[in-house]
Amino acid sequence: MKKFFWQLIGVIMLVPVLFLVGCGQSETQELRRVDTAMGTVVQQTVYVMGKNDRKNSLTGDILELIRKLEEETLSWRLETSETFQINTYAGSGKWVELSKELSQILEQCQKLTEDSGGAFDVALGPVARLWDIDSWAAGQRTGSFQVPGEQELTDALIQSGMGQVQIQFLPGEECADIYLEDGAALDFGAVGKGLALDEISNYLESDGHITGAVVSVGGSVLTYGEKPDGTAWRVGIADPGDPSVNMGILTLTGQWYISTSGDYERYVESGGVRYHHILDPGTGYPADSGLSSVTVLAENGLLSDGLSTACYVLGRERGMALAQLYGAEALFVEKDGEIYMTPGIEDLFRPVD
Ligand code: FAD
Ligand code: MG
């Protein structure tokens, strides 16, 4: 619960930043809303132009998009989701047809696995469930946390990874077939929030009355359009040493997808050691690449979220190369507090004194 509390505080700390400039034009209405979904805080500020009958339901519709994505497609916990259902076929010897949506998501995730040399891997489910750090961090588990034993970790690693999954697109088909080896399990935790931003962005675009918005789903943020007064969006980057304060501000105009992965977000401590939730698929242990956090700005939410996880596992030098391969910008905070960034982010970032 403690970690969730800090996450909540981190998001709430953003609020004054986001509201630094109010909207003065009477024809534009500002809608704000804070909820929880995908096990995290969802915060919306949406600017709507003119008389719009759907004003009242708009932020509710956006929240519903996130919940629907979780309940129908991505959750590995809820029986209602496609991911949960697909995972039940592991070891059955059967090929299963995926929806068009999940086929496209998996195809992009598979490419990111290849490009990251396996640092990012949505088939890491068996190892992630063994640690279950998200549940510990959210206070959903009681008793004392035990570090997994060597043998059970080795067994979980054998069942993990895209090597345990086959995906096949038949010529001309939009929906792929999938085959999971015994014990394999998909876990979209590393891209779910980014995927939610992609859906939200499509929704904002299709509405026609929304002039600007900033939506955060945990550590992933979408900026869209403009503020009524024309000033830039300001997105805070939490200080990994004290996530209740921002260590810097990104000043952005227009549409951006920004995701942060860090060791301070979800973790459990045992014997004076912090075990966080970003796992190294090579070792099965929490990644130890010398970083405290990585923030990535990319062309879509799947990439910003996926790349921030991958870059965290890879560390600064290899992470920087991966971000640049995708034309993304990245900001790395090392454990000693040193900050490194790709050239394109230098003009956008200002440290907080
Ligand atoms: P990221 O770095 O983006 O992702 C880390 C997560 O990805 C890990 O938690 C693990 O699941 C997975 N992962 C770890 N290492 C790797 C790797 N190397 N490659 C690929 N994947 C990796 N939390 C709750 O407490 N309760 C909930 O009910 C709940 N439901 C959720 C439902 C959905 C659909 C999603 C997407 C998330 C949900 N969460 C829930 C949150 C989830 O458990 C993770 O904590 C969250 O997705 C992590 O996001 P992040 O941006 O902090 O970290
Ligand atoms: Mg991620």
Side-chain angles (χ1 to χ4, degrees):
M1 201 61 218
K2 193 174 142 223
K3 315 305 170 315
F4 184 74
F5 172 76
W6 280 116
Q7 191 176 30
L8 182 65
I9 293 298
V11 172
I12 287 169
M13 283 302 290
L14 275 173
V15 173
V17 175
L18 300 173
F19 296 163
L20 273 177
V21 180
C23 62
Q25 296 179 12
S26 54
E27 70 271 24
T28 303
Q29 191 181 333
E30 182 187 71
L31 311 174
R32 300 181 191 189
R33 184 174 175 137
V34 181
D35 304 271
T36 57
M38 290 188 173
T40 193
V41 179
V42 175
Q43 187 171 303
Q44 309 180 41
T45 302
V46 182
Y47 297 101
V48 199
M49 187 81 145
K51 286 194 165 60
N52 183 341
D53 292 344
R54 291 178 38 254
K55 257 180 201 161
N56 290 335
S57 64
L58 211 146
T59 52
D61 288 351
I62 291 173
L63 179 69
E64 200 47 41
L65 278 181
I66 305 171
R67 297 217 165 123
K68 195 163 169 273
L69 180 66
E70 174 179 356
E71 286 165 18
E72 296 183 7
T73 309
L74 295 181
S75 177
W76 58 96
R77 295 170 212 268
L78 303 174
E79 289 182 23
T80 48
S81 91
E82 186 178 355
T83 298
F84 184 99
Q85 292 301 327
I86 296 291
N87 285 342
T88 64
Y89 282 92
S92 69
K94 291 183 186 152
W95 285 84
V96 195
E97 190 180 23
L98 295 169
S99 64
K100 184 178 160 193
E101 185 182 15
L102 207 56
S103 302
Q104 288 173 351
I105 292 170
L106 257 177
E107 195 179 19
Q108 293 172 75
C109 288
Q110 195 173 31
K111 182 168 183 329
L112 189 50
T113 302
E114 286 163 15
D115 292 336
S116 67
F120 167 89
D121 196 325
V122 292
L124 204 57
V127 176
R129 295 294 82 76
L130 179 62
W131 285 93
D132 208 15
I133 290 182
D134 294 306
S135 302
W136 284 101
Q140 291 160 353
R141 297 209 32 185
T142 50
S144 61
F145 169 77
Q146 299 290 327
V147 176
E150 285 296 330
Q151 190 55 54
E152 47 181 358
L153 205 48
T154 304
D155 292 345
L157 269 174
I158 288 169
Q159 294 179 325
S160 291
M162 287 303 279
Q164 301 301 301
V165 179
Q166 294 179 63
I167 302 161
Q168 206 169 65
F169 278 91
L170 293 175
E173 297 279 328
E174 287 181 321
C175 298
D177 290 327
I178 188 168
Y179 182 94
L180 279 81
E181 299 288 350
D182 195 19
L186 299 173
D187 169 350
F188 291 100
V191 286
K193 297 165 187 176
L195 286 164
L197 296 185
D198 288 334
E199 292 222 350
I200 294 165
S201 159
N202 289 337
Y203 177 88
L204 298 174
E205 197 75 56
S206 67
D207 184 87
H209 293 88
I210 297 165
T211 56
V214 58
V215 181
S216 64
V217 185
S220 290
V221 182
L222 163 71
T223 64
Y224 173 87
E226 290 181 350
K227 281 193 201 172
D229 64 4
T231 58
W233 302 113
R234 304 186 72 200
V235 176
I237 297 182
D239 180 348
D242 178 3
S244 65
V245 298
N246 289 325
M247 52 155 259
I249 302 288
L250 289 168
T251 303
L252 306 167
T253 50
Q255 189 158 334
W256 292 86
Y257 299 83
I258 310 111
S259 292
T260 299
S261 287
D263 62 3
Y264 61 89
E265 289 182 70
R266 287 162 187 259
Y267 62 87
V268 57
E269 278 173 337
S270 174
V273 180
R274 178 185 290 195
Y275 297 93
H276 62 81
H277 71 148
I278 305 169
L279 303 167
D280 182 343
T283 64
Y285 281 89
D288 184 13
S289 59
L291 295 174
S292 282
S293 77
V294 185
T295 298
V296 173
L297 282 72
E299 67 185 36
N300 63 50
L302 185 153
L303 279 181
S304 69
D305 200 356
L307 282 170
S308 70
T309 307
C311 289
Y312 186 94
V313 174
L314 288 172
R316 172 166 56 101
E317 283 182 18
R318 292 168 65 207
M320 193 86 83
L322 180 68
Q324 287 176 326
L325 178 69
Y326 277 85
E329 305 298 341
L331 183 144
F332 300 79
V333 184
E334 296 205 322
K335 287 202 193 303
D336 61 8
E338 284 295 311
I339 299 172
Y340 298 86
M341 52 194 119
T342 51
I345 213 172
E346 279 170 12
D347 289 341
L348 308 173
F349 176 77
R350 288 282 170 275
V352 170
D353 297 330

